[in-house]
């Protein structure tokens, strides 16, 4: 089973700053199979990025994804107040899905 | 508008059984694979199970294999999760989620139903 490790666990930034979140896989993952989700308190997760770098429907272009192999990154170019949330990466393999443990993005 | 509404979550004793339901609307239900994902209180997301569009293929996380059974009724636009031999570690918010069609991502989620396993 592929394990996804996200870092940092918590990221403290101010609105307007740039956020860089990391997701590292224990084995190589096809870029097609890597996604990012956002979850706000009391809400269901929302798909942000699929295929490592494609934005889901309605996702603002300040969100971008990149990476390949075992290292993937979610970047938020300029933080808005509504972006403070928990972010999860997720991979698909052999009809199984695994999530990273999450990165909490908090207001500094 | 895609809507997924889960129901059936309650407090149940260890060893007990429970059936969760998910009512889907706003899309052609029988075109899509569907999933269950759970989140223990204060914890991260754990994928539980999926079922193909026609119910012909099902997959489970190792943590629930042999205890949980996923099913669907396309005539009722409904997804189900039969949960048997429940353990305290099954306590979680259970989300129903729609596959995006590619088979790799979950593009719509319900609000979840809470299952508490406790004596």
């Amino acid at each position: 089973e592929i394990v996804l490790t996200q870092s940092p666990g918590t990221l403290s930034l101010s609105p307007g700053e740039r956020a860089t979140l990391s997701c590292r896989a224990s084995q190589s993952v096809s870029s097609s199979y890597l996604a990012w989700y956002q979850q706000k308190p009391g809400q269901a997760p929302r798909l942000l990025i699929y295929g490592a770098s494609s934005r889901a429907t309605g996702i603002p272009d300040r969100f971008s994804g990149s990476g390949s192999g075992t290292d993937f990154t979610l970047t938020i170019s300029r933080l808005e107040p509504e972006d403070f949330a928990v972010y999860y990466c997720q991979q698909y393999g052999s009809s199984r899905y695994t999530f990273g443990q999450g990165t909490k993005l908090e207001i500094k | 508008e895609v809507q997924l509404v889960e129901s059936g979550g309650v407090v149940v004793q260890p060893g007990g059984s429970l059936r969760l339901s998910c009512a889907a609307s706003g899309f052609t239900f029988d075109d899509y694979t569907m999933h269950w994902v759970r989140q223990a209180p204060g914890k991260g997301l754990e994928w539980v199970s999926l079922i193909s569009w026609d119910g012909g293929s099902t997959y489970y996380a190792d943590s629930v294999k042999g205890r949980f059974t996923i099913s669907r009724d396309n005539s009722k636009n409904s997804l189900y999760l039969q949960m048997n031999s429940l353990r305290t570690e099954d306590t979680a918010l259970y989300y129903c989620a729609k596959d995006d069609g590619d088979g790799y991502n979950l593009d719509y989620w319900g609000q979840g139903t809470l299952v508490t396993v406790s004596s």
Side-chain angles (χ1 to χ4, degrees):
Chain A
E1 177 184 303
I2 295 178
V3 176
L4 299 178
T5 302
Q6 293 186 240
S7 61
T10 302
L11 184 58
S12 300
L13 294 170
S14 300
E17 291 192 293
R18 180 184 186 92
T20 303
L21 286 65
S22 174
C23 176
R24 179 161 291 178
S26 59
Q27 309 173 34
S28 184
V29 173
S30 168
S31 296
S32 298
Y33 299 166
L34 196 287
W36 290 91
Y37 298 81
Q38 176 192 66
Q39 187 178 33
K40 297 180 181 180
Q43 295 186 17
R46 176 173 71 149
L47 178 65
L48 291 178
I49 300 287
Y50 64 93
S53 61
S54 297
R55 277 186 299 277
T57 304
I59 302 304
D61 60 9
R62 65 180 181 273
F63 290 91
S64 64
S66 63
S68 63
T70 59
D71 290 298
F72 297 89
T73 300
L74 174 69
T75 301
I76 310 171
S77 60
R78 187 177 171 84
L79 285 166
E80 297 287 343
E82 62 267 28
D83 298 337
F84 292 90
V86 179
Y87 292 84
Y88 295 94
C89 57
Q90 170 250 309
Q91 71 87 32
Y92 162 85
S94 302
S95 300
R96 303 289 189 277
Y97 301 73
T98 55
F99 291 89
Q101 84 279 16
T103 289
K104 181 180 181 180
L105 179 55
E106 65 176 24
I107 299 177
K108 187 173 182 180
Chain B
E1 179 193 4
V2 172
Q3 286 200 326
L4 299 168
V5 180
E6 302 92 338
S7 60
V10 292
V11 178
V12 61
Q13 291 190 336
S17 298
L18 196 57
R19 188 197 199 204
L20 306 183
S21 300
C22 172
S25 60
F27 65 102
T28 305
F29 183 70
D30 55 11
D31 276 353
Y32 291 93
T33 291
M34 296 294 296
H35 301 256
W36 287 100
V37 178
R38 68 185 181 182
Q39 187 169 35
K43 303 298 184 183
L45 301 168
E46 180 188 15
W47 175 79
V48 173
S49 182
L50 75 81
I51 185 167
S52 61
W53 64 274
D54 62 350
S57 296
T58 58
Y59 296 92
Y60 299 89
D62 289 344
S63 57
V64 306
K65 194 179 301 182
R67 301 187 298 122
F68 289 10
T69 303
I70 192 171
S71 62
R72 65 191 295 161
D73 185 338
N74 287 344
S75 70
K76 296 182 178 179
N77 286 356
S78 292
L79 175 71
Y80 306 101
L81 185 67
Q82 178 66 43
M83 310 166 65
N84 297 332
S85 302
L86 283 161
R87 305 167 180 168
T88 56
E89 56 264 35
D90 295 319
T91 294
L93 188 62
Y94 283 74
Y95 292 104
C96 160
K98 171 187 166 292
D99 192 279
D100 72 346
D102 285 340
Y104 315 141
N105 317 294
L106 286 62
D107 62 352
Y108 288 94
W109 300 58
Q111 287 303 305
T113 187
L114 181 62
V115 173
T116 302
V117 183
S118 174
S119 54

